[in-house]
Amino acid sequence: ASEDLQAFLDFAILLAREGGQLILEGSKARYASQGTVFWKAGNPADLVTETDKMIEEVVKKRLKERFPQHKFIGEETVSSGEDSALTDEPTWIVDPIDGTTNFVHGFQYVAISIALTINKEPVVGVVYNPFLDEIFTASKNSGAFLNLSTRLPLSHPHPPLPLPSSLSQCLVATEYGHCRTPHVIDRKVMSIHNMVARPGDNKWSESGKNAGLVHGVRSTGSAALNLCTAAKGQIDMYWEIGPWEWDVAAGVLILGESGGIVVDAYGPDEGPADILSRRFLAVRAGSPAPGDKTSRESQLRLVKEMW
Ligand code: IPD
């Protein structure tokens, strides 16, 4: 029932704010003491700090006390070897710090991400960036909000343009991710090349058609915040192979509730992406009205161009 979802959402908001405060304190302490950064599984591009682990422990404990029957999947709990199978049971999926590399470097695109899934589907999602004090929230069928009262996508004071009808006018986010084997990176770099390079030796055409496929490519370093930035309407698409369920579960719901869509980046299934699939192609809300048929058609047109 929607009252239950509201109660779950309210608790997730409390936890996200508490976690956010710990992120800020952890950040100050790290600079003061040059805190240790660890590599995950010996990968120097996949970082974890004591702050990630401590926040996850706090959030996990508070959830266990409040909802003892619910299951829990957390980035650091899974890293320590605990079972992470997602079932139909109510399950909290938590990333204590999404954008750990940003956290380590003081680049303020950092968020705590908390989602509740039921029947493997996100029904509550909260993403909180404590540095910018921006909290993104959604519960199933109730819309998505910035700072609890501003409905997403933003309409004031800087409303997004109508969703472009072609990739050539899109601003797209993507990430290099943690997997740095040359084979994987070559494929990602080639995809980015295909998005930004002017095809062949053609001169710029007056129509702008030969100006590379997209207007620009951005990387925030946080999958959760990429999805929320699309929910705001500030990027048109986000594409990434590699994120885990804790990176995306909350953001997928927030984007969906704002009228956006997330599908399998490998296509051609136009249905919603499985949060366990680790390959996501997201498109922000279309126009004229988020969620209507015309909007979905314009979103799918962009998806097909990208595939
Ligand atoms: C990572 C970030 C990054 C994305 C990776 C994620 P973490 O999460 O979201 O932007 O490229 O796929 O794993 O490790 O900072 O929690």
Side-chain angles (χ1 to χ4, degrees):
S2 65
E3 313 82 71
D4 293 340
L5 289 190
Q6 188 59 49
F8 297 143
L9 178 63
D10 289 344
F11 195 65
I13 291 170
L14 274 181
L15 288 182
R17 290 219 188 271
E18 193 178 334
Q21 192 52 40
L22 293 171
I23 291 177
L24 294 180
E25 285 164 19
S27 175
K28 282 191 199 139
R30 268 186 42 67
Y31 284 105
S33 67
Q34 298 296 303
T36 316
V37 175
F38 302 96
W39 298 353
K40 272 195 197 165
N43 177 356
D46 194 358
L47 307 181
V48 60
T49 68
E50 292 298 350
T51 312
D52 299 62
K53 296 185 199 171
M54 181 267 288
I55 296 174
E56 184 158 319
E57 277 314 308
V58 170
V59 171
K60 189 177 174 182
K61 182 165 169 285
R62 305 260 275 116
L63 284 167
K64 192 92 224 147
E65 285 162 4
R66 178 72 191 259
F67 305 114
Q69 312 298 333
H70 290 185
K71 301 223 165 338
F72 180 87
I73 294 176
E75 174 167 20
E76 309 316 330
T77 311
V78 171
S79 294
S80 71
E82 238 176 72
D83 178 27
S84 68
L86 181 63
T87 66
D88 287 343
E89 300 299 309
T91 303
W92 292 91
I93 302 187
V94 173
D95 188 346
I97 303 186
D98 188 54
T100 303
T101 307
N102 290 345
F103 173 74
V104 167
H105 288 267
F107 183 70
Q108 300 191 330
Y109 248 66
V110 173
I112 176 168
S113 170
I114 301 178
L116 173 69
T117 60
I118 298 180
N119 296 326
K120 303 192 182 73
E121 229 199 285
V123 291
V124 160
V126 178
V127 171
Y128 179 44
N129 178 343
F131 292 103
L132 304 181
D133 197 18
E134 287 191 326
I135 191 159
F136 301 87
T137 55
S139 60
K140 184 99 192 141
N141 297 327
S142 299
F145 295 86
L146 169 64
N147 293 340
L148 309 186
S149 57
T150 304
R151 191 174 276 277
L152 297 173
L154 297 176
S155 54
H156 178 81
H158 306 293
L161 294 169
L163 187 67
S165 58
S166 127
L167 272 185
S168 66
Q169 297 131 40
C170 283
L171 187 61
V172 179
T174 191
E175 301 285 333
Y176 293 100
H178 298 313
C179 179
R180 299 297 170 86
T181 57
H183 170 69
V184 168
I185 291 298
D186 283 352
R187 289 187 60 178
K188 287 193 175 176
V189 169
M190 186 47 75
S191 300
I192 294 169
H193 170 103
N194 291 342
M195 280 195 270
V196 296
R198 178 150 53 103
D201 286 330
N202 298 338
K203 297 264 185 310
W204 305 115
S205 79
E206 271 176 24
S207 68
K209 276 250 156 38
N210 293 333
L213 266 180
V214 301
H215 267 173
V217 174
R218 303 287 180 266
S219 279
T220 67
S222 158
L225 289 173
N226 284 327
L227 290 162
C228 291
T229 306
K232 278 173 152 178
Q234 294 173 341
I235 53 169
D236 301 304
M237 302 179 82
Y238 161 50
W239 162 81
E240 187 178 354
I241 311 294
W244 299 91
E245 60 269 35
W246 43 82
D247 300 315
V248 300
V252 161
L253 179 70
I254 292 163
L255 179 60
E257 286 295 321
S258 76
I261 60 168
V262 184
V263 296
D264 190 319
Y266 285 170
D269 179 3
E270 294 171 5
D274 173 357
I275 57 166
L276 301 176
S277 69
R278 305 192 59 199
R279 45 196 212 202
F280 305 99
L281 176 54
V283 187
R284 72 168 166 93
S287 31
D292 76 5
K293 188 162 161 283
T294 339
S295 158
R296 187 164 171 86
E297 278 164 11
S298 56
Q299 290 166 322
L300 289 177
R301 196 172 320 122
L302 293 177
V303 163
K304 283 177 186 150
E305 248 193 281
M306 190 70 114
W307 282 339

